[in-house]
Amino acid sequence: MDMFLYLDKDTLLHRLDPRTKLLIMLGSFIVTLIFRYIPMLLGLFIAIILYGYLGKVLSNLKRIRVILIMIALVSVVLWAFAGGGDTQILGPITKEGIVYGVAVAIQFNIMIISGMIFLSSTKIEEISLGLVKLKLPYRGAFAFSTAIRLVPTIVGTAYTIKQAQKSRGLDLDSGSFMHRAKKYIPLLIPTIISVIRGTNVFAMALESKGFGYDRIRTNYLELRFRAIDYILMLLMLVAIAFSIYAKIKFVS
Amino acid sequence: MEAAIKKVGTKSISIKKLSFRYKDQKDRKAIEEINLDVEKGQFIVIMGPSGAGKSTLANCLNGLVPHFIRGEYEGEVWINNIKVKDSTVSNMAKEIGLVFQDFESQLFSTNTKLEIAFGPENFGVEREEIRKRIEKVLRIVKLESFEDRQPSTLSGGEKQRLAIGSVLASQPNTICMDEPTTDLDPIGKLGIFNIARELHESKELTLIIIEHETEEALQADRLIIMENGKIIRDGLPQDILRKTDLTDKIGIMSLQIPKYFSIVSSLSNENLPLTPIEGFEKFKTVGLKINEEKYNMLELADEEREGKYGDVLIEVSDLEHTYANGRGALMGASLQIREGEFLAITGHNGSGKTTLVKHLNGLLIPTSGTVIVNGKDTSESSIFEIGKKIGYVFQNPDHQIFADTVYEEVAFSPKIRGCPKEEIETRVKEALKAVEMEGYEEEDPFSLAKGERQRIAVASVLSARPKIIILDEPTTGLDYKEQKKMMNLIKSLNEDGHTIIIITHTMWVVSEYAHKVAVLKEGEIMMYGKTREVFQREEDLLNSHLRTPHIVSLSNKLGKTMLSIDEMTKCTEAVK
């Protein structure tokens, strides 16, 4: 099963410097979190989708569509009941609650989609190199990128193990919550053991290829800011500055 | 230091009185008093049963032992005049490259190019030079035009070749591969050995391969046999492998041709042929022939066996499967499995073997076509329901085992099916007896050896008392003795009335044990029928990336198809 998020394509987005993409991702988080105003959020949502479209990586969103929809639904339903407000629609459900829930749903989804676009268009090596260029020590950056890399491996192993236990008659879908939680033990233990065994070989292979030989290390990938990087970063910084300014002005 | 340089001279490896004991090892040392000198440019194969200390020795070469794996270390290892113990693993990577069996875990980059670049990057090689090395390495490991591929999309053989390439890129003058071909199909294996031979031809590189397939070992300059942590034989592979009584005793697979001739002829050891071609010549010169009558009896026995099969248990028709990512894994497979059959499903890595059998117990549902098990369509019944009739032993026992004791592990299946306590007890007893693991009830399954864990995995499926048992690669990662034991267990289960389906690409296992064979290639069943009939078509098997065992090849050259040394000796007689 192919569990890797990165989509190898040659687009403007893929050619951007990872630092630019990192800034855009973090910037989109900040701007999103500053406003809880639906038209503004919708605008941002469209901007992010367009940004992903540029890199032809939106197909990856299909893989997480269930998560995106679930978050939206949970948020709207939850806040509809718990959001408070005066305009009651039905029982404890209020209009303000629903509006608030929709805004939170969009906020969450923007952040997830933004993160997904980053991971789908940036090689793991670029992420770690970008972090190194931002003055993070190489070992730290490598550890971070390894963590990202391990997720699909763990998911893949867990999937195989789930099938193995299901074949033995493990029924994961029935029973009370506690009962079901207990049933996951046969999945958990082999997964942890397999991951530990796998990472042990991984560590040995790393060392055997000269990892940590010297503090100075060549980077085969070249990172370079192009004009488009500067333009996008500038735009993002302006957007952030404007958001903060508007927020202060709006609040006061 | 200077004295040491004089001592080792042109040797690339020099090991003196090397012993190592793992931290948790009580009874004996993993390797003991090893002395070994390797000339520059030699090609060495190391063989031996599990637990002989082969991997430990390999890990000593680049310093993983004692720097990464700790324990009691005595003696000295010198690589290119560098004392390994006083160096570091990353330092040694410039001198010696290590390739592991598990190719999934040693590849970690986004594409092939970056995977190869990783080593030179660490050593601070100039970018332009790295570019050149990538090009060169891709050519050596025959992965040109794969430079932008994600390693996860490569086949098993390609992945292992990439792993070799990633080590070559740091330009060490010694390469050591620890069972690089265990998980590969026959042609994938051949690919690795072809690369090994080409590397060896340059004479610059010292090559050490740990292998358990005897047929491949013939290509080496020197063969080393290890047992219980010691080197017990060291010499020309042809000389050592002709002594089949020795290989039999140690528990590595004997070459079939010399073994057969040592039984049927009185040839002296040094005159024994080694390969099917040599065997074919010898067969005529020593005056042997095939007894037609006895051969016909073999064919008759095949027919008879087929007549005894019971009802149709599994009916697969026009099965197609396409994964969610759009990859088509099966393109219209049809099979009919009757009660009492022993079917082997074989084919190259990624041919769709596992995808096919996962349909048989409902883990996968057909994209189109139907799978009927016991008269029921799998798309309409649950895995739980089908699981009562079909037991599935996964390839890696560690994907199944989770309990604290062997008893708990084996009792799991009957327990969740709601059996009463006494019933569970009898079933566990019965299952452990079948796999010959009685008395292990209170052991921790994780502390057992791989072969034993594999048997526990089988027992834990047996305890559900399934009619049909599916085993995915039951012999992978086991040594010859354990493989034989495993297969004899499966055979006796079959004789007790279980219908058996195994997935394997170990060809002698197929020829000696399976009644029927289905050969898959790129998602299609290319060949399907009685083992004897399928193995007769050597050319077609080769087209599906499979090779017949030596003894089968020899008999085919003689115009008959015999599946084991036993069959072959029974049908051989002297020309009067």
Side-chain angles (χ1 to χ4, degrees):
Chain A
M1 207 165 61
D2 183 20
M3 298 295 305
F4 288 88
L5 293 179
Y6 177 71
L7 298 173
D8 194 23
K9 293 194 175 139
D10 190 23
T11 71
L12 177 71
L13 189 58
H14 286 77
R15 283 192 297 268
L16 285 179
D17 190 286
R19 286 165 286 182
T20 312
K21 285 185 266 191
L22 201 62
L23 179 77
I24 291 174
M25 182 178 73
L26 294 176
S28 71
F29 286 8
I30 296 171
V31 177
T32 309
L33 289 173
I34 285 176
F35 296 102
R36 198 161 282 140
Y37 176 55
I38 290 182
M40 188 85 190
L41 286 172
L42 277 179
L44 198 60
F45 186 83
I46 291 167
I48 283 290
I49 292 290
L50 278 175
Y51 172 67
Y53 180 74
L54 218 62
K56 298 182 187 152
V57 293
L58 293 178
S59 60
N60 255 353
L61 294 184
K62 260 190 269 166
R63 298 163 71 166
I64 53 162
R65 62 171 182 261
V66 180
I67 301 172
L68 294 177
I69 294 167
M70 281 303 288
I71 285 179
L73 280 179
V74 168
S75 161
V76 173
V77 172
L78 195 76
W79 289 112
F81 282 96
D86 305 324
T87 339
Q88 287 190 338
I89 297 174
L90 191 74
I93 302 172
T94 62
K95 190 182 157 204
E96 288 81 358
I98 292 178
V99 170
Y100 188 79
V102 170
V104 172
I106 300 173
Q107 280 180 318
F108 267 108
N109 280 345
I110 286 176
M111 289 196 283
I112 293 171
I113 291 170
S114 178
M116 193 70 180
I117 291 171
F118 177 68
L119 290 176
S120 308
S121 65
T122 320
K123 292 189 182 80
I124 286 169
E125 289 83 358
E126 288 175 329
I127 299 176
S128 85
L129 185 53
L131 293 173
V132 168
K133 290 274 153 106
L134 291 170
K135 298 287 174 265
L136 223 75
Y138 175 69
R139 277 178 179 268
F142 190 83
F144 176 75
S145 59
T146 302
I148 297 176
R149 181 165 22 220
L150 271 178
V151 173
T153 317
I154 296 172
V155 174
T157 313
Y159 179 76
T160 311
I161 289 167
K162 190 174 163 192
Q163 287 200 325
Q165 303 296 13
K166 267 169 110 174
S167 309
R168 291 171 73 182
L170 185 68
D171 177 17
L172 290 166
D173 306 320
S174 63
S176 70
F177 178 75
M178 275 312 285
H179 195 72
R180 269 196 309 202
K182 241 172 107 183
K183 284 195 205 161
Y184 270 86
I185 292 171
L187 299 185
L188 215 57
I189 292 169
T191 308
I192 292 168
I193 298 230
S194 297
V195 169
I196 289 173
R197 286 205 175 143
T199 43
N200 204 29
V201 177
F202 174 65
M204 294 200 328
L206 271 186
E207 296 255 341
S208 304
K209 289 181 194 178
F211 180 73
Y213 171 76
D214 199 352
R215 289 168 58 98
I216 302 155
R217 184 181 188 277
T218 315
N219 290 300
Y220 181 66
L221 289 174
E222 278 176 280
L223 295 192
R224 211 174 43 227
F225 285 123
R226 281 171 245 265
I228 182 80
D229 285 289
Y230 290 116
I231 294 168
L232 283 172
M233 277 200 285
L234 194 68
L235 277 176
M236 198 69 232
L237 287 174
V238 169
I240 296 171
F242 173 76
S243 305
I244 294 171
Y245 170 77
K247 178 85 176 177
I248 293 165
K249 185 110 192 221
F250 182 71
V251 170
S252 56
Chain B
M1 191 69 200
E2 215 164 348
I5 289 169
K6 264 184 202 152
K7 248 196 294 181
V8 286
T10 57
K11 291 184 191 92
S12 71
I13 301 174
S14 174
I15 298 175
K16 292 185 177 63
K17 286 198 158 181
L18 177 70
S19 298
F20 185 74
R21 187 201 297 268
Y22 289 96
K23 254 190 197 157
D24 52 356
Q25 207 172 19
K26 287 178 196 81
D27 44 342
R28 64 175 182 90
K29 291 174 182 165
I31 47 175
E32 220 174 326
E33 301 255 321
I34 299 266
N35 287 301
L36 181 67
D37 284 316
V38 179
E39 301 291 329
K40 205 172 158 193
Q42 261 187 348
F43 175 12
I44 298 184
V45 166
I46 302 179
M47 299 185 77
S50 315
K54 307 179 299 280
S55 293
T56 310
L57 181 60
N59 291 339
C60 284
L61 295 178
N62 77 338
L64 279 173
V65 171
H67 300 301
F68 188 87
I69 304 162
R70 287 168 201 280
E72 265 174 60
Y73 182 94
E74 280 168 72
E76 290 172 13
V77 179
W78 295 80
I79 307 283
N80 301 333
N81 305 341
I82 299 169
K83 192 172 174 185
V84 174
K85 205 183 170 203
D86 298 340
S87 185
T88 62
V89 180
S90 51
N91 238 330
M92 293 312 296
K94 275 195 295 189
E95 313 296 330
I96 177 165
L98 205 58
V99 178
F100 301 88
Q101 176 193 332
D102 179 1
F103 43 74
E104 305 289 347
S105 302
Q106 54 184 322
L107 302 178
F108 43 79
S109 300
T110 309
N111 63 38
T112 305
K113 237 181 341 196
L114 289 170
E115 194 68 61
I116 295 171
F118 184 78
E121 280 182 323
N122 287 328
F123 293 118
V125 176
E126 293 288 315
R127 197 173 279 140
E128 192 44 43
E129 168 68 14
I130 296 182
R131 214 186 310 277
K132 280 186 201 146
R133 288 196 195 175
I134 292 174
E135 229 171 82
K136 192 176 153 200
V137 164
L138 284 173
R139 214 167 39 238
I140 295 173
V141 298
K142 302 191 171 59
L143 289 173
E144 302 111 321
S145 79
F146 283 80
E147 59 259 58
D148 290 320
R149 286 274 292 274
Q150 271 181 36
S152 66
T153 64
L154 300 176
S155 77
E158 288 159 359
K159 279 181 192 167
Q160 195 57 286
R161 263 149 51 203
L162 176 58
I164 295 171
S166 73
V167 159
L168 280 174
S170 299
Q171 301 188 331
N173 56 19
T174 305
I175 300 265
C176 175
M177 306 187 204
D178 188 355
E179 303 207 16
T181 68
T182 299
D183 297 321
L184 302 183
D185 59 50
I187 296 297
K189 278 190 176 88
L190 202 64
I192 301 292
F193 272 87
N194 284 341
I195 288 170
R197 216 186 9 240
E198 281 167 28
L199 286 173
H200 177 48
E201 272 162 15
S202 72
K203 289 291 167 202
E204 289 301 305
L205 203 72
T206 311
L207 199 61
I208 300 171
I209 301 186
I210 297 173
E211 200 23 84
H212 60 234
E213 298 242 352
T214 325
E215 294 177 9
E216 316 290 359
L218 276 175
Q219 307 178 13
D221 298 332
R222 182 175 170 192
L223 176 66
I224 289 174
I225 308 235
M226 290 183 73
E227 194 184 25
N228 295 327
K230 294 194 176 99
I231 292 177
I232 56 162
R233 284 290 184 286
D234 183 350
L236 286 176
Q238 297 86 325
D239 292 348
I240 296 176
L241 294 176
R242 274 200 183 93
K243 297 181 186 119
T244 51
D245 46 341
L246 170 83
T247 43
D248 278 344
K249 198 187 101 224
I250 302 164
I252 45 187
M253 188 174 179
S254 292
L255 275 180
Q256 291 180 317
I257 303 295
K259 188 168 180 190
Y260 162 70
F261 277 94
S262 70
I263 299 170
V264 297
S265 75
S266 53
L267 286 169
S268 64
N269 241 330
E270 63 274 16
N271 287 324
L272 288 173
L274 287 166
T275 61
I277 296 170
E278 289 174 33
F280 181 60
E281 297 296 320
K282 253 324 186 246
F283 191 84
K284 290 179 289 184
T285 53
V286 295
L288 295 172
K289 70 177 187 108
I290 304 283
N291 181 320
E292 296 277 340
E293 207 174 304
K294 283 187 178 153
Y295 181 74
N296 289 341
M297 296 226 320
L298 285 180
E299 285 189 325
L300 217 65
D302 284 358
E303 303 263 320
E304 210 173 299
R305 185 167 66 190
E306 196 154 276
K308 279 194 198 141
Y309 294 145
D311 303 333
V312 174
L313 289 180
I314 299 176
E315 176 98 55
V316 179
S317 340
D318 305 318
L319 171 62
E320 286 182 28
H321 193 86
T322 310
Y323 281 107
N325 60 11
R327 191 171 66 87
L330 283 174
M331 284 82 135
S334 299
L335 285 173
Q336 198 188 51
I337 300 165
R338 290 162 64 195
E339 191 169 5
E341 259 186 44
F342 191 138
L343 172 71
I345 297 176
T346 184
H348 59 90
N349 292 112
S351 58
K353 304 184 292 272
T354 302
T355 308
L356 173 60
V357 296
K358 276 186 179 167
H359 281 88
L360 306 184
N361 78 335
L363 276 175
L364 293 176
I365 296 300
T367 309
S368 84
T370 53
V371 178
I372 313 279
V373 176
N374 252 327
K376 269 195 205 146
D377 195 323
T378 56
S379 57
E380 281 152 24
S381 33
S382 70
I383 300 176
F384 191 71
E385 199 61 37
I386 306 168
K388 286 179 192 163
K389 297 280 186 294
I390 300 191
Y392 191 141
V393 183
F394 271 60
Q395 178 174 357
N396 187 346
D398 299 333
H399 284 166
Q400 286 189 16
I401 291 172
F402 72 94
D404 295 334
T405 66
V406 167
Y407 183 90
E408 284 298 312
E409 190 66 45
V410 181
F412 178 73
S413 266
K415 211 181 242 172
I416 51 174
R417 290 194 159 78
C419 290
K421 213 167 175 227
E422 302 78 51
E423 168 83 17
I424 293 174
E425 241 165 68
T426 32
R427 282 189 181 203
V428 171
K429 226 178 185 170
E430 179 189 283
L432 285 176
K433 191 171 175 229
V435 300
E436 291 174 41
M437 293 286 287
E438 298 148 294
Y440 283 79
E441 283 85 351
E442 296 312 313
E443 297 276 330
D444 177 356
F446 288 107
S447 68
L448 302 173
K450 172 96 196 267
E452 293 169 331
R453 294 207 298 280
Q454 187 80 276
R455 300 172 90 76
I456 293 302
V458 175
S460 65
V461 162
L462 277 179
S463 61
R465 288 193 179 152
K467 259 189 180 166
I468 308 164
I469 302 173
I470 300 171
L471 301 106
D472 193 347
E473 300 280 1
T475 58
T476 299
L478 305 181
D479 69 18
Y480 180 65
K481 230 180 221 169
E482 295 165 333
Q483 289 184 337
K484 199 95 189 162
K485 206 169 168 194
M486 191 70 206
M487 288 318 297
N488 285 334
L489 161 65
I490 296 170
K491 190 181 170 189
S492 69
L493 290 174
N494 178 241
E495 284 161 356
D496 290 346
H498 291 283
T499 305
I500 302 284
I501 301 164
I502 63 167
I503 296 180
T504 186
H505 49 234
T506 310
M507 296 309 277
W508 69 267
V509 164
V510 180
S511 76
E512 288 186 27
Y513 292 92
H515 303 172
K516 289 179 84 177
V517 190
V519 178
L520 270 100
K521 185 189 178 187
E522 283 152 24
E524 281 180 79
I525 296 184
M526 303 302 283
M527 303 164 85
Y528 180 41
K530 272 184 252 165
T531 308
R532 198 177 305 282
E533 287 163 10
V534 170
F535 274 56
Q536 191 174 15
R537 295 155 59 192
E538 259 187 85
E539 288 274 304
D540 295 334
L541 279 171
L542 210 57
N543 273 332
S544 299
H545 309 295
L546 299 170
R547 284 194 302 168
T548 45
H550 277 176
I551 198 76
V552 181
S553 302
L554 173 65
S555 68
N556 276 337
K557 282 182 203 303
L558 296 164
K560 306 279 183 227
T561 306
M562 277 169 269
L563 298 171
S564 64
I565 298 178
D566 257 7
E567 285 192 3
M568 189 77 185
T569 34
K570 267 184 207 148
C571 297
T572 309
E573 62 179 16
V575 181
K576 275 159 209 147

